[in-house]
Amino acid sequence: MINKLLKTFWFLVLTSWLSVQAQSAGDYQLGSGDTIKITVFGQADLSIETLLDDSGKIEYPFLGQIQATGKTLTQLQQDILAGLKGDYLVNPNVSVTIIEYRPFFIDGEVKQPGGYPFQPGLTVSKAAALAGGFTERASLSKIFIVRSNDPEQASVNVTANALVQPGDIITVRQSYF
């Protein structure tokens, strides 16, 4: 009975983790600071792991430079597939995965401000916990995020339950009471 409960529990944990992964990876746009792995099954010389730099381009065997930043994993996968199909391979099987997301940054009224590795499902509260927690002067109603994908870089007031994205800058302001 306990074994069955444990199996059910771990199944639920795994499926919820996979849904968060799929949700975050499906529409996630790559940016500088992300580390990705490109795998072409059966072709070890075409499988690479690379850090996206500020140029946003990667150097890929046979295809040269490919623009990666601003694209989803699926879009980059399709670009590589289209480039390899025909001239180099008959029916390539390409996979693009994120090895490590670019960091997020948190400053203001947290104990250890700085940059921290992003994790899917990260909220402002969890981000603050990574930074040592809120200080005693922190105002939970004055938390602002500048989204890395916002071209205007607008500072938006959010709650402690707001989801954090890679590259975001979180500022926790001081409470006056």
Side-chain angles (χ1 to χ4, degrees):
M1 179 70 171
I2 292 175
N3 240 358
K4 190 174 181 179
L5 287 173
L6 281 174
K7 285 180 183 178
T8 303
F9 170 76
W10 285 115
F11 174 77
L12 292 173
V13 168
L14 180 62
T15 54
S16 65
W17 179 80
L18 287 173
S19 77
V20 167
Q21 291 286 3
Q23 183 180 25
S24 63
D27 57 355
Y28 176 73
Q29 291 187 345
L30 295 168
S32 66
D34 288 332
T35 302
I36 61 171
K37 182 175 185 176
I38 301 169
T39 306
V40 180
F41 297 100
Q43 302 293 324
D45 56 331
L46 295 177
S47 298
I48 64 168
E49 189 173 307
T50 185
L51 172 69
L52 301 180
D53 63 12
D54 289 336
S55 74
K57 296 179 180 176
I58 59 170
E59 192 67 37
Y60 193 76
F62 300 116
L63 303 180
Q65 288 191 343
I66 299 173
Q67 181 66 39
T69 58
K71 293 184 178 178
T72 65
L73 296 175
T74 303
Q75 289 169 331
L76 181 58
Q77 182 176 316
Q78 293 302 319
D79 288 352
I80 294 168
L81 180 68
L84 293 175
K85 193 171 188 173
D87 290 343
Y88 299 105
L89 299 171
V90 176
N91 191 18
N93 189 350
V94 179
S95 170
V96 180
T97 56
I98 297 174
I99 300 297
E100 186 176 322
Y101 291 92
R102 60 189 176 272
F104 71 92
F105 302 89
I106 186 166
D107 66 0
E109 295 300 318
V110 291
K111 294 181 181 170
Q112 297 170 341
Y116 293 91
F118 175 80
Q119 303 162 15
L122 190 69
T123 63
V124 170
S125 293
K126 291 176 185 176
L130 288 172
F134 294 109
T135 67
E136 55 279 345
R137 293 182 167 206
S139 172
L140 296 183
S141 64
K142 295 180 183 174
I143 300 172
F144 296 88
I145 290 184
V146 175
R147 300 281 185 198
S148 64
N149 61 358
D150 180 6
E152 296 178 16
Q153 296 293 287
S155 184
V156 179
N157 193 355
V158 297
T159 66
N161 293 326
L163 287 175
V164 176
Q165 299 170 3
D168 282 356
I169 301 170
I170 305 164
T171 302
V172 181
R173 299 267 167 87
Q174 187 177 36
S175 175
Y176 294 108
F177 298 103

